Amino acid sequence: MCGIIARIGHGDATETLLSGLENLEYRGYDSAGIAVQNGSGVKVRKCSGEVDELKSSLEQSLHGNMGIGHTRWSTHGPPTDENAHPHTDTAGDVAVVHNGVIDNYDELRAELQARGHEFDSDTDTEVIPHLIDDYREQFGDTERAVREAVETLEGSYAIAAIVDGEERVYAAREGSPLVLGLDDEEWYLASDVPAFLEHTDEVIYLEDGDLVVLEPDDYRITDVAGSPIERSVDTVDWDPEDAGKGEYDHYMAKEIDTQPTALSNTIEGRVEDGNVAFEDLPAGTFADIETVQFVACGTSYHAAMYGSQLLRSAGVRADVLRASEYDQTAGPVDENTLVVAVTQSGETADTLDAVRKATDRGARSLAVTNVVGSTAARETDDAIYIRAGPEVGVAATKTFSSQAVTLALLTQRIAADVPTATPVEDREAMLQSLADLPEHVETVLETTNAESLAREYFDSDSYFFIGNGLGHSVALEGALKFKEITYEHAEGFASGELKHGPLALVTPETPLFAVATGGDDKKTKTNAIEARTRGAPIIAVAPDDHPLADAADWQLSIPDTHPVWAGLLANVQLQLVSYHAAALLERPIDKPRNLAKSVTVE
Ligand code: F6R
């Protein structure tokens, strides 16, 4: 959580910092701030609220060729002006932005206060500029002071600092992401590439323990001892336009609408002659795998449910585990276990923690992620990219679709290697119909009646979503999306579970979305009828002529396709319903309250 940015070069930094922060707001939007260095000291401007509020509070322009910026998701201390970053030392000479959590901040603060340092905020971050200042006093050298400071810190951090009178940005990472962007005339540091993608696509993904010093014409990477480190330069293949909102009112609308392209990219080159092929994962890669554990959170967990169910149908032992519960639920793990981290950002702390625990116990690891160079991609034995392009709206949409497809393909790839696997009966038909998926999503987008439906029901008491088999994960995902952006109560269930308790909540004011996949939907139909008998309006998310549609008050139609892909079409309809309901309720769709996209704290 939290996004940081830094920039140094020859022109003015302020505009770049502000636009970079806007592209990082998906990481948190409780407060925002920048600090620039312009020959007359370090100038800090910060306030609670979003970057837009920071922009309007910049009553007089703030100029400088170098600076740092921050957008916050609060951990220590409420979202006030004082707790906004950048934080400074007592004299205001050292300014720091930070993403992460400093575990030993209490004791450091007490020690620094005892030495005369004055603190203004409740944050853990504020110890960092004071520490740097303290070590500068001691050693008379800022670079050494930064090294000493990071050695003193315990916890996770990506930090960037500027110091009065120095034309340098100092930065370090440990446990939180930090990417260096290299342009001809300027350098950038940021929590994520979209922060500077409009300026450069040449990047260095920094590693834990790296320290960076940026100067207008040079940059240096060292370890904590000060020894130089070489890191390779990568070229990011995201289009800068992918990171912008374009003509859309919301990123979420754009991301729903561009799913056909995202899915085409996900699929491209991965089905060859009726077989699934992943670069770097040749035939035989999974030959000694006996059990697969999918670990994930939130929407990614729902995609992982998809994957684990498909793998089980292919006769491979597979579990899907909530990453935050890994310790309590993992059971035996050994070198024949493959742990698959499903994570859009590749930075989710709970997921990373689960993978580390599994690999400590001997498991092999694989990341399924959207972000090249992310921690998950770097820490696992292998990585597969879902190729959905940057997703900025906090609510995951296109990445769910791309994750589910990637996982479905991965399951076929694993099953092809595992000697005890039983081939899925209609595997060929399933892979063939995948080619039509982008076009079918296009059809849903062009013909949907989700907006009318949202208008009819957006002021209901509660919303329920049911489905069985693969439809169960879609029901859970539909409910998560709905509650996340409308702030209305929504719950998803396996269809058959409705009568075991939740039915007590069903009334004429609780619309029920029933997801049919064209597979075995009998239970879903029966359970929807049970709810309808109690007065609930039923919305069938189903192909035309599906029996469920006859039992429903409304239908959100999906093209007839293979049952493995039908759920993904149903999910697009549910994304659209959530989006339109949230718009009618005037919610801040791209930045729902209390949330952030990249959850880097446990
Ligand atoms: C919901 C949503 C979250 C994420 C979850 C995991 O719309 O986006 O539930 O799915 O925080 O994030 P990643 O996939 O980055 O690990």
Side-chain angles (χ1 to χ4, degrees):
M1 340 279 273
C2 297
I4 71 168
I5 182 167
R7 182 268 188 198
I8 187 165
H10 294 285
D12 188 46
T14 308
E15 277 306 313
T16 314
L17 292 174
L18 291 170
S19 68
L21 285 182
E22 279 174 329
N23 286 343
L24 288 176
E25 271 195 299
Y26 71 86
R27 304 179 70 87
Y29 29 86
D30 288 338
S31 65
I34 58 170
V36 299
Q37 150 86 292
N38 60 8
S40 58
V42 170
K43 305 279 185 228
V44 177
R45 295 283 187 282
K46 56 184 190 171
C47 62
S48 59
E50 299 180 6
V51 176
D52 260 352
E53 282 163 68
L54 174 67
K55 277 174 154 177
S56 23
S57 78
L58 291 176
E59 69 295 336
Q60 62 201 39
S61 41
L62 198 62
H63 294 301
N65 70 323
M66 51 177 286
I68 54 178
H70 188 269
T71 179
R72 178 169 188 243
W73 188 87
S74 315
T75 56
H76 296 68
T80 59
D81 292 354
E82 293 72 29
N83 290 333
H85 299 214
H87 290 285
T88 59
D89 64 319
T90 311
D93 292 337
V94 181
V96 171
V97 289
H98 164 223
N99 168 33
V101 173
I102 304 301
D103 296 332
N104 58 341
Y105 82 100
D106 255 345
E107 59 198 79
L108 290 175
R109 186 176 168 122
E111 286 168 18
L112 288 158
Q113 279 172 327
R115 291 206 287 279
H117 291 262
E118 289 165 23
F119 284 73
D120 295 324
S121 78
D122 311 313
T123 66
D124 52 338
T125 301
E126 201 182 350
V127 297
I128 305 172
H130 288 279
L131 258 187
I132 295 175
D133 173 57
D134 211 63
Y135 285 124
R136 278 178 87 220
E137 284 279 305
Q138 213 173 316
F139 300 113
D141 169 0
T142 308
E143 193 170 335
R144 166 115 191 245
V146 172
R147 290 208 302 267
E148 298 287 342
V150 300
E151 287 223 275
T152 311
L153 299 174
E154 285 168 19
S156 61
Y157 50 81
I159 55 171
I162 57 173
V163 176
D164 185 24
E166 295 189 25
E167 240 193 326
R168 284 175 165 189
V169 174
Y170 299 91
R173 85 156 265 179
E174 183 66 45
S176 298
L178 193 60
V179 193
L180 174 58
L182 312 172
D183 200 0
D184 287 346
E185 307 231 308
E186 46 202 29
W187 316 125
Y188 303 88
L189 281 160
S191 305
D192 198 359
V193 172
F196 53 69
L197 189 58
E198 63 180 294
H199 304 288
T200 182
D201 57 3
E202 300 284 293
V203 303
I204 293 178
Y205 296 103
L206 296 165
E207 307 267 341
D208 282 350
D210 286 358
L211 271 86
V212 185
V213 181
L214 303 182
E215 293 173 348
D217 299 305
D218 193 19
Y219 71 87
R220 274 180 291 124
I221 306 174
T222 68
D223 63 16
V224 174
S227 308
I229 291 180
E230 288 287 323
R231 294 265 176 251
S232 60
V233 179
D234 285 296
T235 304
V236 177
D237 67 359
W238 284 351
D239 186 328
E241 276 192 19
D242 291 347
K245 203 157 40 176
E247 300 299 302
Y248 292 86
D249 290 339
H250 300 97
Y251 282 105
M252 185 180 180
K254 179 183 173 190
E255 288 155 5
I256 292 173
D257 214 38
T258 52
Q259 286 178 104
T261 310
L263 284 167
S264 300
N265 292 337
T266 302
I267 299 163
E268 198 186 338
R270 286 178 167 170
V271 181
E272 280 170 7
D273 306 327
N275 288 313
V276 174
F278 283 106
E279 238 182 323
D280 303 331
L281 299 176
T285 304
F286 302 111
D288 56 358
I289 293 304
E290 289 168 6
T291 306
V292 178
Q293 292 186 335
F294 294 89
V295 294
C297 303
T299 290
S300 296
Y301 177 85
H302 301 148
M305 283 175 73
Y306 225 88
S308 77
Q309 187 184 325
L310 289 172
L311 200 49
R312 282 194 298 273
S313 342
V316 179
R317 261 208 315 259
D319 294 313
V320 55
L321 306 169
R322 296 208 181 265
S324 58
E325 293 283 293
Y326 189 79
D327 262 348
Q328 292 76 19
T329 54
V333 169
D334 61 23
E335 69 279 6
N336 302 116
T337 307
L338 175 70
V339 64
V340 180
V342 185
T343 165
Q344 184 284 129
S345 62
E347 302 295 345
T348 300
D350 287 327
T351 307
L352 294 174
D353 188 53
V355 177
R356 287 171 190 146
K357 283 181 174 135
T359 49
D360 282 352
R361 293 174 206 167
R364 261 177 63 188
S365 60
L366 170 68
V368 175
T369 182
N370 196 30
V371 181
V372 176
S374 59
T375 305
R378 285 185 294 106
E379 287 193 6
T380 45
D381 297 320
D382 293 292
I384 299 179
Y385 296 103
I386 64 169
R387 304 182 191 154
E391 188 177 68
V392 179
V394 164
T397 50
K398 63 175 179 175
T399 56
F400 172 82
S401 302
S402 291
Q403 282 174 332
V405 166
T406 309
L407 289 169
L409 292 176
L410 174 66
T411 60
Q412 302 313 301
R413 184 64 201 76
I414 294 174
D417 282 354
V418 174
T420 51
T422 45
V424 176
E425 229 171 71
D426 60 350
R427 180 173 168 277
E428 211 170 304
M430 170 188 142
L431 292 178
Q432 261 169 18
S433 67
L434 175 60
D436 299 329
L437 186 62
E439 201 180 309
H440 284 156
V441 172
E442 196 73 67
T443 305
V444 169
L445 294 167
E446 280 167 8
T447 59
T448 183
N449 54 342
E451 186 169 5
S452 318
L453 179 86
R455 209 168 279 287
E456 173 88 14
Y457 292 119
F458 77 96
D459 57 354
S460 303
D461 289 349
S462 251
Y463 301 81
F464 298 118
F465 296 74
I466 61 168
N468 66 315
L470 294 174
H472 178 204
S473 51
V474 175
L476 296 183
E477 175 56 13
L480 176 64
K481 215 81 325 172
F482 200 89
K483 72 180 86 164
E484 184 180 16
I485 60 165
T486 66
Y487 307 164
E488 298 295 315
H489 176 246
E491 274 189 80
F493 306 101
S495 306
E497 281 299 298
L498 197 63
K499 57 189 177 294
H500 296 290
L503 203 55
L505 298 172
V506 162
T507 74
E509 293 307 315
T510 60
L512 182 131
F513 293 84
V515 174
T517 60
D520 179 14
D521 296 317
K522 263 195 288 191
K523 273 192 190 148
T524 303
K525 181 176 175 192
T526 308
N527 301 130
I529 291 173
E530 286 160 6
R532 190 176 176 191
T533 306
R534 273 92 186 160
I538 305 300
I539 301 109
V541 195
D544 292 343
D545 302 326
H546 190 282
L548 186 61
D550 301 336
D553 302 274
W554 277 74
Q555 184 191 0
L556 290 165
S557 172
I558 57 172
D560 208 358
T561 185
H562 191 279
V564 166
W565 313 122
L568 304 184
L569 299 174
N571 184 58
V572 174
Q573 287 283 23
L574 296 180
Q575 292 170 349
L576 289 161
V577 173
S578 296
Y579 175 79
H580 290 299
L584 289 162
L585 291 161
E586 297 181 5
R587 305 296 189 225
I589 293 180
D590 286 330
K591 298 175 205 158
R593 69 184 173 208
N594 306 333
L595 301 180
K597 192 163 187 67
S598 191
V599 187
T600 55
V601 293
E602 282 181 20

